[in-house]
Amino acid sequence: MSIPIGSGHGLANLEGHTDFDIVWPWADSRGGPGGLRRGATAVLRVKNEAPGLRFVLPPLLRACDHVLLVDNGSDDGTGEEALRVAAEHGLSDRFTLKEYPFQVARAGAEHLAVNERSVHSLAYFYNWCFSHVRTRYSWKWDGDMVLTTEGEVSMADLSWQVGMAEAVIRFPRHGLYIESDRKAYLDLGLRNIEEWGFPMSPDYVYTKAPEWEIRTTPEHIEMFALPQGLCVELKWLDGDEFAHWTNPESFATSIRNRRKRREWLVWNALHDGQVPEGVVEIESPEGVHVVDHVTHTWLPRAPRPFVVDDPDHAKLHLRA
């Protein structure tokens, strides 16, 4: 039977796909009392993210109680790669793979035109993904976000502490634009520190915003910000970084898209052979992938605070 829209137990989608109605985890007794147990789950919503999962999943699986990856119609073997990586590191017991077969609206104008109770809505998709969490805390993680050595330790420490906490955690990350196995560009010129950690309760669900989904939060809630240098966001220069946006050129006119404007600027500058201010060129030693070099060696050794007055100044102060 379909769940009525507005029910305290969940949401029904407009298309009548009852197998994909949302049952809120706090209303589902299968997870234990209240549907939830102590701990933290990272939730990844992915499509065609196979190349980066060997970097993304191992530290995340070690740092969290569980990792849930929802594959939204990948055709590059993302799901198989995720299962392989989890098994290779002996962490399959901490990993769950689910499939979401509906095409989800791209951020921007396409998202705005879709009803938020549709299976094609970003808000509905996110709520469906998080409805499968069975811990009291959740991390909204992306399939291209890689923890540094420091980040893994910090997140592991937090994952048991936040199991009973009513707090939102901001997790900073830096774009890492990958040119080859040994060469990449790290953007330290943008301080991106979004909300990535949330309690699992009716106060923290997704709703529709003008250009993307947004997670609701109570008016008075504790917020904690972690220090910089704990996470990088992989951006493959030979890929289509902005495929999930209706029109990337809209970044130039929207006041809500400062971060995407910066990414668009850096992306195009690097393709034009220019290194923008605040971006540091990094080359890894022979035999070491540049992602491993940046997350295990370069960033952990970089002096704090980061100095990014200009490209030459940044290279002088940050090269380790």
Side-chain angles (χ1 to χ4, degrees):
M1 178 180 292
S2 178
I3 300 168
I5 294 176
S7 163
H9 293 284
L11 296 170
N13 58 76
L14 297 182
E15 291 83 359
H17 297 291
T18 55
D19 288 347
F20 288 89
D21 283 343
I22 293 168
V23 177
W24 299 127
W26 45 85
D28 184 355
S29 61
R30 289 174 297 178
L36 300 169
R37 63 180 183 272
R38 181 165 185 155
T41 299
V43 180
L44 291 76
R45 300 91 37 236
V46 299
K47 183 172 184 177
N48 293 335
E49 297 278 9
L53 293 181
R54 60 184 172 127
F55 306 111
V56 173
L57 287 179
L60 191 62
L61 284 162
R62 291 190 294 264
C64 297
D65 297 278
H66 206 80
V67 172
L68 167 65
L69 185 145
V70 181
D71 187 4
N72 181 215
S74 297
D75 57 16
D76 69 344
T78 286
E80 293 83 354
E81 174 67 0
L83 290 169
R84 184 196 69 77
V85 172
E88 178 184 338
H89 290 266
L91 295 167
S92 296
D93 60 325
R94 293 191 178 194
F95 179 74
T96 298
L97 172 67
K98 288 192 176 292
E99 304 279 344
Y100 191 81
F102 308 104
Q103 183 173 339
V104 178
R106 293 173 295 174
E110 192 172 294
H111 156 74
L112 187 61
V114 176
N115 189 294
E116 68 177 321
R117 293 294 183 261
S118 168
V119 293
H120 305 291
S121 161
L122 274 170
Y124 190 92
F125 174 46
Y126 274 56
N127 280 324
W128 187 86
C129 293
F130 280 86
S131 74
H132 292 86
V133 171
R134 291 296 177 265
T135 55
R136 293 176 183 167
Y137 205 83
S138 65
W139 295 102
K140 174 179 174 281
W141 211 251
D142 287 349
D144 56 7
M145 290 168 57
V146 183
L147 288 165
T148 66
T149 301
E150 295 170 295
E152 181 183 336
V153 173
S154 297
M155 193 170 184
D157 191 42
L158 278 169
S159 287
W160 70 266
Q161 293 186 59
V162 298
M164 297 292 288
E166 189 75 12
V168 171
I169 298 176
R170 295 178 178 270
F171 213 116
R173 68 191 193 276
H174 307 279
L176 183 65
Y177 297 77
I178 302 168
E179 181 177 299
S180 67
D181 286 356
R182 291 189 55 201
K183 188 174 183 180
Y185 301 86
L186 183 64
D187 185 8
L188 298 175
L190 173 66
R191 188 170 183 270
N192 181 28
I193 185 165
E194 295 182 33
E195 299 170 357
W196 290 96
F198 298 88
M200 290 295 298
S201 84
D203 291 327
Y204 303 88
V205 297
Y206 283 95
T207 189
K208 185 176 180 176
E211 289 165 311
W212 50 73
E213 80 299 328
I214 188 170
R215 204 162 190 172
T216 61
T217 56
E219 185 175 347
H220 301 290
I221 185 70
E222 283 191 279
M223 287 199 181
F224 299 96
L226 298 181
Q228 292 183 297
L230 303 185
C231 181
V232 298
E233 185 175 23
L234 306 182
K235 300 178 183 302
W236 307 89
L237 287 172
D238 61 354
D240 188 355
E241 174 64 23
F242 304 98
H244 60 293
W245 278 86
T246 308
N247 178 21
E249 293 181 359
S250 67
F251 301 157
T253 57
S254 172
I255 61 173
R256 293 177 294 272
N257 276 331
R258 176 175 173 268
R259 176 174 64 88
K260 301 309 295 185
R261 277 202 303 275
R262 172 67 180 183
E263 293 174 0
W264 183 247
L265 180 153
V266 172
W267 176 271
N268 284 288
L270 292 174
H271 275 277
D272 290 339
Q274 303 172 16
V275 180
E277 181 177 335
V279 176
V280 185
E281 181 181 329
I282 301 174
E283 188 169 335
S284 65
E286 187 172 354
V288 179
H289 197 285
V290 69
V291 175
D292 289 328
H293 177 62
V294 170
T295 56
H296 300 326
T297 304
W298 196 96
L299 266 174
R301 292 181 181 176
R304 300 328 192 244
F306 297 139
V307 180
V308 289
D309 296 335
D310 59 65
D312 291 333
H313 192 70
K315 289 178 185 177
L316 177 66
H317 284 71
L318 290 169
R319 181 165 290 149

